[in-house]
Amino acid sequence: MPSLHVFNRRTIFAGDDLQPTVWMNSSFRVFQCVLLLIPLVVHNYYETRFFVKHALENQHNQPDSPTIPYFSYLFGGSIYPNECSSGAHYFPLLQSVYQASTLFHITISLVFELIIYKISGLGTPTQPHSRLSLGKVIEKKWIWLSIVGNVLVCVFAAMSLKYMNDYSTCRESIEEQKDYYTDNDYLLFGITLWLIVFILLFLSQLLEGIVSAIALGSFLRKEKAFAFITQNYYDMNGPDLDTSVHEHALMGSRYNAHHHELAEEMWSNRCRNFCKCAAFSTCYLFGGRELVDGVVGDYGQISRALADYFEDGGVLDLVPSDLAAGFFMLQRVQRQRVLEARQKIDEEMKQGRDIGDLLRTSSSSTVGSDMHNFSLNHDERKITSALDDDFNHSQHSSSLFTERVQDDFNYTMSHPMDDMLTSVLHPMPYSRTILLPNGNQSNYDYNGISPKNTSALMLRKKSSRSVNDSRHWYEAQERKVFDRDNEIDRNIIAEGARFARHALSIYTWLLYFYMHPFSSIPYLLGSRVKDCCQSANDASNINDFDVQRGDTSCCNTFDSSTNGDNWLHIHKNALLAHSGLDKSDLVYANFSNRYNEMPYCIVIDHKWQSVVVSIRGTLSLEDCVVDVLVDPEPLANLGDEFGFDASDQYCHSGVVACVKNIMRDLQRHNLLDTLMSGVGAKYAHYKLRFTGHSLGAGCATLLGYIFRQRYPDLRVIAISPPGGFLSWRLATECNEFVTSFVLDSDLVPRLSVSTMHVLRNEVLDLIGRIKVPKMKVAQTFVCNGVCKASKEDDDPEKIAEENASILHPKNEVPTETDFQRQMEKFQEIQRRRREMRGEIMKLYPPGKIIHLVKTGEESSIKNHITKCMTCCTSNAGNQYTPVWSNNADFNEIVVSPTMGFDHFPNRVCVELERVANSFGIDTSIGSSVQDREDGERARITSQNLL
């Protein structure tokens, strides 16, 4: 920051972003010079020798006097035979001028690049005064070099082409007179090479000039940057926020359309256009036809949330690279905080202290050069990280992190509304969750490896609720680690692994193709051919409900058990391939995916004697629009209708809309009653289980509340449920029947409006604290990477030293900068927005939560190559340990390379199955003949008991 202004127009770049472009432009100039221009000069040299030698032979002169013939070669004379045209000499003359002007153009361009490089490396992101001249340098380079310079050299090249034919004719006549010249392969090859090189050089210059001119014309059509006027107005009126910031914001909106209502409309249009572009660019592979046609699509809630989130009255002047630098530093700050806290706990445990004493007894010490302060006490058991604690006395930014929401519940562990899990920041070789050993403390291993771990310390980030206190600290809380010898723990892991497969199956062919890119298409097509070739009388291929409907044709394009499938039945076959079930186990599947309509299926799992309802998560563009229906919706009416207490409770409104549509479809077909509770129900002795992933997990949980009055023993397995989902009471009251699974640093269970606000504030604060050029931050990112697999990268002192070399201490942040003045105005504008909108309601993921924490990594060449090729987004070789967590543990967005990919349903399913295998649990898919026989015996036994 601030953004670079060229011709009084704002760009999306800052002055300190240009060093990478300098390297690219310089490389291009060197390429032009070395690979294109130099071959032309060499060719010109040999052509001169050719004509000079011919002229000297004709004049019977000595071959060591080439001066006069060379002059004649460029300007005409006796060097050319009489049969040559009078204009033949213009070609080498213009070519020489062209080559000289190209060399001059390249040299001046490199000089400009050097100037830009030097200026761009001055100052810091928030102190740009030494870069103010950069805009004028860019203007001169853009006009005089990129446009005028390229046009001039292209004119010389084009003029020389006019005389190229005369020159070629003259040369051919000389070669005919001297037979030995025609045998010279080098000259022939030299001419061919010259033609290719000349065309490439000419086209590169011509295209550069044309593209630069078009870009300049398009850029000049933009409105001038009135932000200068607004900023000057702020500067002249001073920081009297209480009396004039509203008028300031109104003035900014007059020039830059920052008025909030206009901002909402702008964000709504952006979201709508993005969906249309995404639909067109993917050829509707991920849906979007309804959004393009404008039939459906409510962007009001997300546009309102985005307008509130980015509301700055036009005062913040940031560019994308500033935010990237802030996110990278946040990742490193998060890592430092946890490692410092972990180091202190490790020191305490190596001294032989008991875990209970560690949580009860007060102690404090300092790690490093007053970089860390650690304390544990009975009341708060808090670990105060030095990264924020010793830098928290600055008053100018003290209110940045004080945005808090009203508690809507009471919890025994001291204000969990501000608690944010940071036990696992990032896929590193050593765990951020500290596994605690049993018995003798000497068995403790720093890497969390012990013969048997039954508990762990989870580090929760807490923030002060005081307006004048922006401190953050960590609260150490003990969590139970799953025990492979505990039957209850084994059953929970087995259930999660089994029904994560069902949640995966409803994603059908797109995810099946993603997981099996080479074998998926032959398999799915072969499955359809196999269905058509089988006998229509094969009872094993006929669904019980098909018999009732009278549909027994195996190759019928209409399948009464499905809705929304194509004639190849590709969705159905992919679902069965994912789950390993037989066709007869599929009762019903609705693959229709429209706005507020989620695909789901009903299958029979004989191995677990369950009727399973699987609901798909987000996959299509319509689903994405449902995801952003972020306004909480009251559930009181829904609770009254279906018999559960939801007074003063709220839910993600997109989930509520989808559940209502699923309920209508279930009631229309009446399948659950027919299967489980109707007269002659075949599976009355089976359990009803709802499962889903992401948005589908939210739908499954709410359906669990709805059906629990009718089926008290139902179970819900929620895979990677959304974080901003339910109010606290409903999120925790469903512990009896809802079990949620979260993989490592998954973003979605942590994602909510409130956590996004905290993330924004932390990133802005870190941008203001950067004290080095932005390229220094980028260099640290490139050199260290985001997941460097080395023990040194887990050294808190090393990371603290690197962070201290990049960031100002909080009490030393320069206050008299444009950015800090902008931040004060921004905070005031945000405060006014909160007063107008009201406090943000916090929502939570549901049920009992099992967190698969990364506690190790297999070191192998294969894993390292995989991580390198995937930019560290792969989890190859990662080892996970299941740990109990609670609903308030996921209130911080953890910046990690895997934060998005940990949400993929296939990754969660595979890792759950691996954990189950490590517990000695069978994770084979499908239902065997023995499972069916066991289910039939259970049915008969149940009927006899009745």
Side-chain angles (χ1 to χ4, degrees):
M1 69 153 297
S3 58
L4 180 65
H5 287 75
V6 181
F7 300 109
N8 288 334
R9 288 161 176 83
R10 186 180 187 274
T11 67
I12 62 172
F13 303 101
D16 51 357
D17 294 343
L18 302 183
Q19 288 186 342
T21 63
V22 167
W23 282 107
M24 291 188 293
N25 292 336
S26 299
S27 301
F28 176 68
R29 296 302 180 198
V30 172
F31 167 80
Q32 283 184 319
C33 182
V34 175
L35 298 181
L36 300 180
L37 181 60
I38 290 180
L40 282 181
V41 175
V42 172
H43 171 75
N44 196 32
Y45 168 74
Y46 279 103
E47 287 294 289
T48 304
R49 288 186 57 186
F50 176 84
F51 278 90
V52 168
K53 188 172 184 179
H54 168 72
L56 292 176
E57 288 180 352
N58 289 340
Q59 298 174 5
H60 303 287
N61 292 334
Q62 297 296 323
D64 57 352
S65 55
T67 304
I68 295 177
Y70 178 74
F71 183 84
S72 301
Y73 173 69
L74 293 179
F75 296 97
S78 59
I79 195 173
Y80 292 97
N82 295 330
E83 58 270 20
C84 290
S85 172
S86 60
H89 69 280
Y90 285 114
F91 178 74
L93 175 63
L94 292 172
Q95 274 292 308
S96 298
V97 174
Y98 167 66
Q99 294 169 18
S101 61
T102 298
L103 181 60
F104 179 77
H105 179 263
I106 291 175
T107 303
I108 297 301
S109 296
L110 290 176
V111 171
F112 265 93
E113 298 297 343
L114 179 61
I115 294 173
I116 294 172
Y117 184 85
K118 292 292 185 181
I119 298 177
S120 181
L122 300 175
T124 69
T126 58
Q127 295 175 314
H129 303 291
S130 54
R131 301 191 300 268
L132 294 180
S133 61
L134 195 55
K136 297 298 180 183
V137 176
I138 299 294
E139 293 174 6
K140 293 177 181 178
K141 177 196 168 190
W142 200 344
I143 293 179
W144 296 108
L145 284 179
S146 300
I147 299 177
V148 177
N150 280 301
V151 169
L152 287 177
V153 296
C154 289
V155 167
F156 290 128
M159 291 174 62
S160 69
L161 292 176
K162 178 181 179 182
Y163 302 99
M164 181 177 177
N165 188 49
D166 294 339
Y167 178 81
S168 299
T169 303
C170 178
R171 195 181 194 288
E172 290 173 358
S173 65
I174 296 175
E175 290 180 344
E176 290 176 358
Q177 297 175 11
K178 307 293 182 179
D179 293 337
Y180 61 89
Y181 282 110
T182 60
D183 295 331
N184 194 326
D185 294 335
Y186 179 81
L187 290 178
L188 292 175
F189 178 77
I191 293 175
T192 304
L193 176 64
W194 169 78
L195 288 174
I196 297 173
V197 168
F198 172 71
I199 291 173
L200 290 176
L201 182 59
F202 174 70
L203 289 179
S204 68
Q205 294 168 331
L206 181 64
L207 289 175
E208 182 185 354
I210 292 174
V211 170
S212 298
I214 293 175
L216 179 61
S218 176
F219 187 71
L220 292 177
R221 283 196 294 270
K222 292 175 59 178
E223 293 184 4
K224 290 188 176 182
F226 288 103
F228 281 124
I229 301 175
T230 307
Q231 185 61 49
N232 290 336
Y233 181 80
Y234 279 122
D235 294 340
M236 289 186 295
N237 286 271
D240 187 7
L241 299 173
D242 292 333
T243 59
S244 60
V245 72
H246 183 61
E247 290 79 2
H248 294 176
L250 288 178
M251 180 180 178
S253 67
R254 189 173 303 123
Y255 290 107
N256 283 328
H258 280 292
H259 191 271
H260 199 76
E261 286 73 16
L262 295 178
E264 289 184 18
E265 182 179 354
M266 176 191 69
W267 281 109
S268 179
N269 292 333
R270 286 178 176 178
C271 293
R272 184 177 292 105
N273 292 334
F274 171 80
C275 290
K276 290 182 178 180
C277 291
F280 283 127
S281 62
T282 57
C283 299
Y284 299 105
L285 182 65
F286 296 95
R289 192 174 299 276
E290 290 181 313
L291 304 178
V292 171
D293 297 338
V295 178
V296 296
D298 180 10
Y299 304 99
Q301 294 185 26
I302 185 61
S303 63
R304 191 159 49 250
L306 289 172
D308 288 342
Y309 190 78
F310 294 104
E311 177 66 64
D312 63 353
V315 300
L316 278 183
D317 190 6
L318 294 173
V319 296
S321 63
D322 296 326
L323 300 177
F327 272 103
F328 170 66
M329 290 311 303
L330 177 59
Q331 186 268 337
R332 293 189 63 82
V333 165
Q334 286 180 337
R335 190 189 313 176
Q336 179 187 345
R337 289 170 179 166
V338 171
L339 290 180
E340 287 178 343
R342 172 183 170 171
Q343 183 186 52
K344 186 57 187 177
I345 293 176
D346 179 61
E347 292 175 357
E348 298 287 343
M349 295 195 63
K350 285 182 177 179
Q351 294 174 5
R353 298 186 58 191
D354 184 75
I355 303 305
D357 293 338
L358 186 64
L359 293 175
R360 288 191 298 269
T361 306
S362 299
S363 66
S364 64
S365 63
T366 301
V367 176
S369 176
D370 69 359
M371 288 297 294
H372 178 85
N373 183 273
F374 168 91
S375 65
L376 291 170
N377 56 65
H378 177 68
D379 295 327
E380 293 187 83
R381 302 190 300 276
K382 65 183 180 181
I383 303 167
T384 307
S385 175
L387 190 66
D388 294 313
D389 186 60
D390 65 338
F391 300 151
N392 57 18
H393 305 294
S394 174
Q395 296 300 317
H396 70 273
S397 61
S398 62
S399 62
L400 180 58
F401 295 100
T402 57
E403 178 183 347
R404 289 294 174 263
V405 298
Q406 190 69 30
D407 288 355
D408 62 348
F409 69 98
N410 293 321
Y411 189 46
T412 59
M413 290 188 180
S414 66
H415 306 296
M417 306 302 286
D418 296 331
D419 295 346
M420 291 172 264
L421 178 72
T422 49
S423 59
V424 182
L425 293 178
H426 174 78
M428 297 294 297
Y430 307 106
S431 173
R432 267 56 171 183
T433 298
I434 306 173
L435 301 182
L436 304 177
N438 290 331
N440 191 345
Q441 296 295 322
S442 62
N443 293 332
Y444 177 75
D445 182 12
Y446 178 79
N447 298 332
I449 301 172
S450 63
K452 184 178 180 181
N453 305 97
T454 59
S455 61
L457 284 183
M458 306 289 284
L459 303 178
R460 278 176 150 191
K461 182 182 173 188
K462 299 196 66 172
S463 304
S464 173
R465 304 176 65 84
S466 172
V467 175
N468 297 319
D469 189 354
S470 61
R471 287 180 301 170
H472 303 275
W473 63 86
Y474 278 94
E475 182 181 75
Q477 294 192 350
E478 189 171 1
R479 291 284 183 264
K480 182 179 180 296
V481 177
F482 275 64
D483 182 2
R484 67 186 63 197
D485 297 329
N486 185 299
E487 193 62 28
I488 296 177
D489 290 353
R490 290 173 56 85
N491 289 338
I492 291 175
I493 293 298
E495 183 184 45
R498 179 70 176 185
F499 292 94
R501 177 64 59 173
H502 285 294
L504 171 67
S505 66
I506 191 58
Y507 279 90
T508 67
W509 75 270
L510 274 175
L511 200 60
Y512 192 74
F513 179 78
Y514 174 77
M515 297 173 64
H516 311 282
F518 301 107
S519 61
S520 57
I521 294 179
Y523 177 83
L524 295 177
L525 294 179
S527 298
R528 179 55 175 159
V529 173
K530 180 180 178 181
D531 289 344
C532 291
C533 294
Q534 286 179 339
S535 171
N537 296 323
D538 187 353
S540 63
N541 291 325
I542 300 176
N543 186 285
D544 294 337
F545 294 92
D546 290 338
V547 175
Q548 297 177 13
R549 298 182 182 105
D551 180 18
T552 59
S553 175
C554 287
C555 202
N556 193 347
T557 57
F558 172 76
D559 189 346
S560 57
S561 66
T562 63
N563 176 42
D565 205 352
N566 51 40
W567 67 276
L568 286 173
H569 296 178
I570 194 169
H571 288 291
K572 175 181 176 180
N573 289 329
L575 185 153
L576 297 175
H578 275 303
S579 61
L581 298 177
D582 189 78
K583 281 180 59 178
S584 60
D585 297 329
L586 176 62
V587 177
Y588 175 72
N590 185 354
F591 300 115
S592 178
N593 185 198
R594 306 179 65 183
Y595 182 67
N596 285 339
E597 293 184 15
M598 302 301 297
Y600 75 98
C601 67
I602 303 175
V603 298
I604 307 299
D605 189 331
H606 296 286
K607 186 174 183 178
W608 278 72
Q609 297 187 9
S610 299
V611 175
V612 185
V613 181
S614 302
I615 302 131
R616 199 192 74 187
T618 301
L619 185 64
S620 68
L621 290 172
E622 285 84 359
D623 301 336
C624 294
V625 176
V626 173
D627 285 335
V628 297
L629 298 176
V630 294
D631 288 354
E633 181 171 332
L635 292 177
N637 293 336
L638 192 68
D640 293 340
E641 181 179 355
F642 293 102
F644 64 95
D645 181 15
S647 57
D648 298 325
Q649 296 298 291
Y650 293 82
C651 179
H652 184 283
S653 59
V655 173
V656 176
C658 291
V659 165
K660 290 179 178 178
N661 281 318
I662 294 174
M663 278 297 301
R664 281 193 288 268
D665 196 56
L666 288 172
Q667 291 171 350
R668 180 167 60 250
H669 293 89
N670 197 33
L671 292 178
L672 292 182
D673 289 342
T674 303
L675 288 168
M676 303 189 69
S677 59
V679 178
K682 186 176 180 180
Y683 301 105
H685 60 296
Y686 276 26
K687 257 185 186 177
L688 176 61
R689 278 183 166 91
F690 289 94
T691 186
H693 169 266
S694 189
L695 180 62
C699 294
T701 302
L702 198 53
L703 286 169
Y705 267 111
I706 291 173
F707 280 94
R708 194 158 185 260
Q709 301 301 317
R710 195 180 310 173
Y711 306 100
D713 60 345
L714 70 76
R715 297 275 301 151
V716 176
I717 298 87
I719 309 299
S720 303
F725 172 47
L726 276 177
S727 297
W728 176 256
R729 181 166 64 80
L730 282 184
T732 54
E733 283 183 353
C734 62
N735 287 351
E736 297 180 9
F737 63 94
V738 177
T739 305
S740 297
F741 293 86
V742 176
L743 178 63
D744 203 35
S745 56
D746 188 349
L747 169 67
V748 173
R750 297 172 168 87
L751 190 63
S752 65
V753 176
S754 57
T755 57
M756 285 296 294
H757 279 261
V758 173
L759 179 71
R760 175 201 62 197
N761 293 342
E762 286 197 280
V763 169
L764 291 177
D765 178 70
L766 289 171
I767 291 173
R769 291 174 55 189
I770 295 176
K771 64 180 181 181
V772 297
K774 202 182 301 176
M775 286 303 107
K776 173 67 174 178
V777 180
Q779 181 182 359
T780 304
F781 174 80
V782 173
C783 293
N784 295 329
V786 291
C787 62
K788 185 177 179 181
S790 69
K791 187 171 182 178
E792 293 180 357
D793 209 39
D794 264 2
D795 183 1
E797 294 183 2
K798 180 177 180 293
I799 293 179
E801 182 180 351
E802 290 182 352
N803 288 348
S805 67
I806 297 175
L807 297 175
H808 281 292
K810 278 194 172 181
N811 60 342
E812 297 179 12
V813 177
T815 58
E816 299 302 322
T817 63
D818 291 339
F819 180 74
Q820 293 301 330
R821 287 190 288 270
Q822 292 171 10
M823 283 301 302
E824 291 176 2
K825 298 179 178 66
F826 169 74
Q827 293 174 44
E828 175 62 21
I829 292 171
Q830 284 290 310
R831 186 186 66 80
R832 292 178 182 272
R833 293 303 306 175
R834 291 194 300 275
E835 289 178 354
M836 186 178 73
R837 295 285 190 195
E839 296 293 345
I840 301 171
M841 180 178 296
K842 297 204 71 171
L843 303 177
Y844 300 86
K848 300 187 300 288
I849 301 179
I850 292 90
H851 187 199
L852 298 183
V853 175
K854 182 187 173 190
T855 52
E857 181 176 343
E858 296 178 359
S859 181
S860 67
I861 296 177
K862 178 183 176 182
N863 292 338
H864 286 311
I865 292 176
T866 302
K867 289 182 180 295
C868 181
M869 293 180 63
T870 59
C871 298
C872 299
T873 59
S874 170
N875 63 337
N878 290 359
Q879 298 171 342
Y880 298 93
T881 299
V883 178
W884 284 108
S885 297
N886 66 38
N887 309 76
D889 280 344
F890 299 91
N891 283 356
E892 182 189 30
I893 294 176
V894 176
V895 181
S896 161
T898 63
M899 60 192 295
F901 291 91
D902 280 343
H903 187 66
F904 277 30
N906 58 307
R907 179 171 291 191
V908 185
C909 177
V910 169
E911 295 304 334
L912 265 171
E913 290 176 345
R914 287 177 180 171
V915 171
N917 288 332
S918 71
F919 276 47
I921 298 170
D922 177 26
T923 58
S924 58
I925 62 176
S927 299
S928 65
V929 175
Q930 183 64 40
D931 295 329
R932 299 174 190 277
E933 293 176 353
D934 292 342
E936 182 63 21
R937 282 194 293 270
R939 183 182 67 83
I940 295 173
T941 302
S942 177
Q943 289 179 346
N944 292 337
L945 290 175
L946 291 176

